[in-house]
Amino acid sequence: MLSSPTTPSSPGRGQRLAILVSGRGSNLVAIARACADEAWPAQIVAVIAHREDIGAVEQARQLGLPVRCVPLDKSLPREVQDERLLSAVRESRPDWVVLAGYMRILSAAFVAAFAGRLVNIHPSLLPAFPGLHTHRQALAAGVKLHGATVHLVTAELDRGPILGQAVVPVRIDDDEASLAARVLEQEHRLYPRVLRALVEGTLVVEDGRSRCPGSPADRDPLLLMPSCG
Ligand code: GRF
């Protein structure tokens, strides 16, 4: 049986995205630009960060998005910090929680609270190169193809069901920076597409595999392939 990966409120313009950030915010901007289109089925209701002094918060403010800062108090047990984050996110009543360059590992309780509605983008073709320094890992491994993956977040790091992937060629003269830039450009195409399919309910997950039932079997709209020419 096919099932939607989630049970948000009914698909439509009113779907609410809470975006968690901790970096420069370029994926946030890509998603916000997509949301600005009238035809887009969702809106960003909260951008949540642990610090004010990051690029993503500055970008969010420039875009007029509601920003909420939940500072990390390292003197508190991790579970307490995570409970604070969880209640801040819950207050925004999101249908979807979107990690856009969010660099902290979320607690099992947080992941469970938004199971099937928590989405991440990772800069590699998972399951290859989970964790950090993915472009360095790809260059060291000598792969010819690299890319980015949007996936549902589960308790196991970088292991949840894959929702979409963008592939880029690795060039012989690439270094980490050039490869990262090529991947990032594709991330900005991929993330809004996957989110739209999720929000509209045209993407389903079955036995840990995702697909778009309305699309031809040989043309997956959420597989972005390179031009190697
Ligand atoms: C992206 O490469 C994303 O895949 C990874 O962190 C980076 C965030 O970049 N999870 P930005 O903050 O969206 O510019």
Side-chain angles (χ1 to χ4, degrees):
M1 193 184 92
L2 294 181
S3 63
S4 166
T6 171
T7 47
S9 51
S10 59
R13 172 88 192 147
Q15 296 249 328
R16 302 166 64 85
L17 310 181
I19 314 244
L20 270 58
V21 291
S22 34
R24 102 201 106 177
S26 69
N27 277 289
L28 167 68
V29 171
I31 296 164
R33 287 207 175 119
C35 285
D37 181 340
E38 281 284 298
W40 233 69
Q43 51 176 314
I44 298 173
V45 293
V47 175
I48 297 173
H50 293 300
R51 302 159 50 141
E52 291 276 348
D53 61 342
I54 57 172
V57 166
E58 194 183 328
Q59 297 277 17
R61 293 207 199 285
Q62 275 176 17
L63 290 162
L65 297 170
V67 177
R68 171 108 186 239
C69 191
V70 184
L72 288 176
D73 181 346
K74 299 224 165 111
S75 66
L76 294 173
R78 199 186 157 82
E79 307 82 65
V80 178
Q81 295 178 33
D82 281 343
E83 274 166 29
R84 288 185 173 177
L85 178 66
L86 183 54
S87 36
V89 176
R90 275 197 172 124
E91 275 168 33
S92 68
R93 294 180 292 108
D95 293 302
W96 302 93
V97 179
V98 177
L99 309 183
Y102 183 75
M103 298 308 288
R104 195 164 160 271
I105 294 175
L106 292 163
S107 66
F110 189 100
V111 172
F114 297 107
R117 302 189 290 139
L118 180 57
V119 189
N120 183 42
I121 188 159
H122 181 80
S124 79
L125 294 175
L126 289 172
F129 315 134
L132 297 173
H133 308 302
T134 56
H135 311 304
R136 195 182 304 167
Q137 292 187 58
L139 290 170
V143 293
K144 299 289 184 190
L145 292 173
H146 184 44
T149 302
V150 177
H151 64 98
L152 286 177
V153 177
T154 56
E156 215 182 335
L157 185 69
D158 299 330
R159 280 297 194 175
I162 289 169
L163 302 175
Q165 292 189 303
V167 182
V168 305
V170 180
R171 296 194 183 131
I172 198 70
D173 57 352
D174 266 330
D175 58 17
E176 261 183 88
S178 62
L179 188 53
R182 193 172 313 117
V183 171
L184 191 65
E185 198 181 323
Q186 296 307 313
E187 291 185 37
H188 300 161
R189 294 177 64 215
L190 179 68
Y191 216 174
R193 275 202 205 199
V194 172
L195 290 174
R196 182 169 191 160
L198 275 176
V199 164
E200 288 181 335
T202 55
L203 169 63
V204 296
V205 175
E206 182 184 25
D207 298 331
R209 293 181 69 187
S210 67
R211 66 192 186 95
C212 299
S215 306
D218 61 347
R219 237 183 304 137
D220 184 339
L222 301 178
L223 170 60
L224 308 190
M225 291 296 280
S227 125
C228 294

